[in-house]
Amino acid sequence: MKKLKKLLKSIADQSYQKIQLLTGCFQFSYYSVQFIKIQGSPGANPASIASVAVSIKECGLPLSYLDSPLKRIAVADFLIRRFNEGINQFAQQNRGKQGSGSFHTVELGQTMLQRDCVLFCGEQIELRFVFSLPAKGTGVIDANQAWIMFEQELTSIVDYTFFYHKFTEATKELLRRTLDIQEARLQIKQYMQKHGLCVFINNGASLVRRSGVDDRPDENPQTIRFQSPKETEVEIPLSATSSIKGMGIKEGVCCITGGGYHGKSTLLQAILAGVYAHIPDDGREFVVTRDDAVFVRAEEGRSIKGLDISAFIANLPNGIDTHYFSSDNASGSTSQAASLVESIEMGSRLLLFDEDTCANNLLLRDDLIEKVLDAKHDPIKPLYSKLRSLWQQQGVSMIFVVGGLGLFLQKADTCLLMDNYQCKDITAKIRAKLGGIVEDDGTVLKIANNRVLAPDNFNPSYTNYRLKKTLPKRIKDLRNAPKCLEYGMDLVNLEAVPQLVEAPQLLCIGYCLLKIQLEMQAQGVGGHTIEYWLKWLYKEIDAKGLSYLQPDYPGTLSLPRQYEVSAAINRIRSLNIIDNFN
């Protein structure tokens, strides 16, 4: 503590770049501060990174709260949110030039994700945070205010965050609920797997969000909460004395229909979000979706590299081979066919569709078009004609939101109606009116998984030709574009990937690509599929944590799923696929 005060005093009123002298570890009374990354400009983005370390014994957390990976994710999420609350309560923000003199945490949404901002290291808890030391108007270091930040404000924040015996009963209950959510989700997943369910939505869930850009629950007291239809209701035991009831959607083909603004897309969005755990009071805490669920949509203009889309598009009039299809500017139908095949290629066995974001010509060819256009002359093989085969031959379940494509109801195992946000099972009614499920023509459906990555992929270096300057590595999110990743010379657009829910996941994707690139270079060969490399990487992360990725700014990553990393890889315009089809 005295050591840090002395160092700050030595750089008082000097050029702000002198802040880079702040290195090493500084001991306070019951915690230590480590400066990890120091930026030499008060307005730098990202700012500087530091960490606080506190003894687990001193924290007083029950050891049973830390005895599994899922529990540690829950406790870590609780602590970083608590630290953020402490900043809001005790820190005077933006006290210096260009907004300097502030504390921040990594961006936090409504989900509990594996992050590298809270680590359990032996007998200590390490929490990483973002900060900028205050600069005076002349651009020199304001050492007095800097000392106040660390000696007074940070001490209060640490005191507020870590020490269980100082928590109110309400705070302890919130921590218990955070842990209970993770444990309950695990039990729900186990039940789903045993009973052939791909989605569970609990009775009483609050699915409506505040807006399309605000993922917090709607505050309107009149909001209708979810209630399962009796036909699809299941009761899942959670312990010897408790259980939870809700709707279980069986594996197979499911259609969700209803009028406009009656809650179809709201239900689908909740299902999409159900691959992640959510924080207490989010309303979707016990909405659970299979881990491998992927949303598939049209995405005009995206790139496609060396992909076999012949199951859905073939015999193009210009002679292009769709068994090894590439495009730098894909159409709606080819882009959606590509996303569908890529998802199955990565192992997804639950695909989700909303007709509003689909290419209609890939979904269906109606009777009138059949009369006008001979199917033999149309290269597109509509998904409608492949639904049952995808499920029966490939084991791929699908959930469709349809408002104008009623023919899909003919092929659905489960038909749901959203009526003023109330869910009804109309499967029996559909079967009575339309007859039995319409099967496909029996053609064998083949989805290949033989694309091999060349070893020269994912080069992280960046050359600015105007300035004639080359950087060995460029990995950053594009400012003002939260789902665009700048990686090397590539700009990877992930705007069409809704299950990317936090900006730190985007940055993490970049370091995943870098780690794969380094391993391919070390081996000297490619020779493996995208699925192979991602399974290898996630096995390493499971064993060593997110720190294994060695980001330039530790504490700023949230782990995406393998499917989002795969989506990024498949949208890299410089992607090099080895022709493995001959």
Side-chain angles (χ1 to χ4, degrees), residues 197-201 228 231-234 246-250 414:
L197 302 178
C198 57
V199 175
F200 174 80
I201 303 174
S228 173
E231 298 88 339
T232 57
E233 189 173 69
V234 296
M247 181 173 72
I249 299 179
K250 292 182 178 180
T414 304

Side-chain angles (χ1 to χ4, degrees), residues 141-309:
I141 298 169
D142 190 336
N144 288 333
Q145 284 297 316
W147 177 241
I148 290 172
M149 284 180 64
F150 281 93
E151 194 271 335
Q152 296 180 20
E153 296 175 355
L154 184 60
T155 297
S156 296
I157 295 167
V158 169
D159 202 48
Y160 179 82
T161 300
F162 288 98
F163 300 103
Y164 186 79
H165 66 279
K166 295 184 179 180
F167 290 171
T168 64
E169 285 304 313
T171 301
K172 291 179 180 178
E173 176 62 21
L174 179 62
L175 176 55
R176 281 192 292 269
R177 288 175 61 203
T178 303
L179 288 156
D180 288 346
I181 289 168
Q182 289 284 19
E183 292 188 311
R185 283 178 59 86
L186 178 60
Q187 294 172 60
I188 292 169
K189 285 181 182 180
Q190 291 169 343
Y191 180 95
M192 289 168 59
Q193 187 173 14
K194 183 177 179 180
H195 292 84
L197 302 178
C198 57
V199 175
F200 174 80
I201 303 174
N202 65 296
N203 293 339
S206 181
L207 307 184
V208 181
R209 303 292 96 186
R210 295 189 186 182
S211 73
V213 294
D214 189 340
D215 197 41
R216 292 174 296 173
D218 187 14
E219 294 181 304
N220 186 345
Q222 303 301 316
T223 297
I224 298 172
R225 291 181 173 267
F226 184 83
Q227 181 65 41
S228 173
K230 290 299 180 184
E231 298 88 339
T232 57
E233 189 173 69
V234 296
E235 183 172 0
I236 301 177
L238 297 182
S239 66
T241 58
S242 68
S243 62
I244 188 169
K245 290 183 178 182
M247 181 173 72
I249 299 179
K250 292 182 178 180
E251 295 172 344
V253 180
C254 172
C255 280
I256 303 169
T257 190
Y261 301 97
H262 277 255
K264 303 187 302 295
S265 293
T266 298
L267 178 59
L268 184 68
Q269 291 300 320
I271 292 171
L272 281 171
V275 298
Y276 296 116
H278 288 83
I279 60 175
D281 300 319
D282 171 83
R284 300 167 296 183
E285 297 96 314
F286 307 109
V287 177
V288 182
T289 305
R290 280 181 55 145
D291 291 335
D292 60 354
V294 175
F295 184 66
V296 178
R297 59 164 294 168
E299 190 180 347
E300 290 186 32
R302 64 156 287 190
S303 64
I304 302 169
K305 299 293 183 182
L307 187 66
D308 184 354
I309 58 171

